[in-house]
């Protein structure tokens, strides 16, 4: 893609022209917005997701809207050999990936209980598997390729609930709540990021972490109201609110940044 007519300083700081990016969990609510953003910034984007139909649909939607093609690959991020195969396919089809965003999360059966005393071990295992082990495995697979081709940038997506506890009082009878497994997995992602930043520095790989707040998704109105009331900026997030921070962490603008935890939460964690 030709650099566009934007001021040269913006291309210098934020342009990703024809660099190759992978978004794991790219069919999700935040993942799809990030895929589109990276594509619009000029990157060749591979969208990895366990839900291949959703991945293809998202890739098609973005292609229709932007005239830019994305590569959808069915990948279960808990399976190292599937990640290896995905990296090989990206190298073959688009070239070596130099950017990775880890955006997958588990939200299946048993997930939503917040009853600590009876939280099912099966749900705990699955959440930790996808949200934490999956991030580690994806970083491993992509770091090997990045290291072999001169380096790269990784952004892991954690959560405010990896920094502070959810406030159970805002969930009420909404039927939605945030479980212990999620909090533990997201705290793990933050520390994994710091560890990798140190241990991949000599491979010229920067690793940073986004801490997002809750995205509005037609949740129970009482929950939305209470969440907004507890947020200094007075509303839940839109997935689009995270575009700038992720683009920054992947672009030359953040060349002197690694191991950072970038909080974009409307102020949720400041009080
Ligand atoms: N949405 C929010 O309110 C919010 C708030 C804070 C943090 N986050 C974090 O941001 C990230 C993205 O959130 P989202 O709202 O887009 O999530 P989402 O649930 O909408 O999407 C997650 C995606 O991950 C995929 N996935 C699940 N298991 C997988 C696996 N084993 N291998 C590969 N892909 C798998 C799903 O198919 C789905 O497309 C997540 O890490 C989430 O924890 C989200």
């Amino acid at each position: 893609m030709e650099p566009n007519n934007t001021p040269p300083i913006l291309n210098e700081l934020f342009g990703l022209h024809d660099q190759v990016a992978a978004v794991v969990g790219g069919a999700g609510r935040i993942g799809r917005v990030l895929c589109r953003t990276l594509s619009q910034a000029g990157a060749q984007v591979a969208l990895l997701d366990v839900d291949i139909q959703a991945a293809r649909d998202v890739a098609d939607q973005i292609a229709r809207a932007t005239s830019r093609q994305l590569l959808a690959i069915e990948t279960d991020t808990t399976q190292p050999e599937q990640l290896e195969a995905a990296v090989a396919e990206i190298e073959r089809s688009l070239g070596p990936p130099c950017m990775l965003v880890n955006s997958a999360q588990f939200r299946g059966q048993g997930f939503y209980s917040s009853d600590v005393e009876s939280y099912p071990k099966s749900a705990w295992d699955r959440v930790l598997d996808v949200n934490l082990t999956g991030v580690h495995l994806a970083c491993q697979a992509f770091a090997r390729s990045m290291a072999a081709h001169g380096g790269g940038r990784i952004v892991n997506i954690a959560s405010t609930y990896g920094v502070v506890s959810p406030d159970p009082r805002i969930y009420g009878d909404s039927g939605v709540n945030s479980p212990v497994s999620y909090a533990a997995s997201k705290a793990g992602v933050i520390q994994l990021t710091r560890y990798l930043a140190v241990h991949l520095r000599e491979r010229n790989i920067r690793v940073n972490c986004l801490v997002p707040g809750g995205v509005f998704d037609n949740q129970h109105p009482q929950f939305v109201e209470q969440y907004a009331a507890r947020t200094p900026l007075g509303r839940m997030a839109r997935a689009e609110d995270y575009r700038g921070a992720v683009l920054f962490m992947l672009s030359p603008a953040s060349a002197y940044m690694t191991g950072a935890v970038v909080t974009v939460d409307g102020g949720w964690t400041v009080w």
Side-chain angles (χ1 to χ4, degrees), residues 30-44:
I30 294 175
R32 66 185 60 189
V33 171
L34 298 180
C35 285
R36 181 173 174 151
T37 303
L38 298 181
S39 184
Q40 288 172 315
Q44 302 285 339

Side-chain angles (χ1 to χ4, degrees), residues 129-142:
D129 239 20
V130 176
N131 292 17
L132 182 56
T133 308
V135 175
H136 159 63
L137 294 174
C139 288
Q140 255 188 341
F142 279 87

Side-chain angles (χ1 to χ4, degrees), residues 124 127-128 131-133 135-136 139 156-159 161-163 180-196 207 209 211 261:
W124 170 275
V127 172
L128 269 288
N131 292 17
L132 182 56
T133 308
V135 175
H136 159 63
C139 288
N156 295 325
I157 305 195
S159 165
Y161 292 166
V163 179
V180 62
S181 56
Y182 185 79
S185 71
K186 292 300 182 179
V189 167
I190 292 171
Q191 190 59 8
L192 174 68
T193 299
R194 295 190 179 114
Y195 189 99
L196 294 179
V207 191
C209 182
V211 169
V261 177

Side-chain angles (χ1 to χ4, degrees), residues 31 45 90 96 122-123 139 155 192:
V45 178
I90 295 168
S122 54
C139 288
V155 173
L192 174 68

Side-chain angles (χ1 to χ4, degrees), residues 24-31 48-51 75-78 102-107 126 130-131 157-160 182 186 212-215 219 242:
V24 181
R29 293 163 301 176
I30 294 175
L48 279 53
D49 205 289
V50 73
D51 184 343
T75 315
D76 181 343
T77 194
T78 66
N102 275 304
S103 189
Q105 69 167 351
F106 178 77
R107 292 202 300 162
R126 196 68 192 126
V130 176
N131 292 17
I157 305 195
S159 165
T160 47
Y182 185 79
K186 292 300 182 179
V215 175
Q219 293 97 335
Y242 303 124

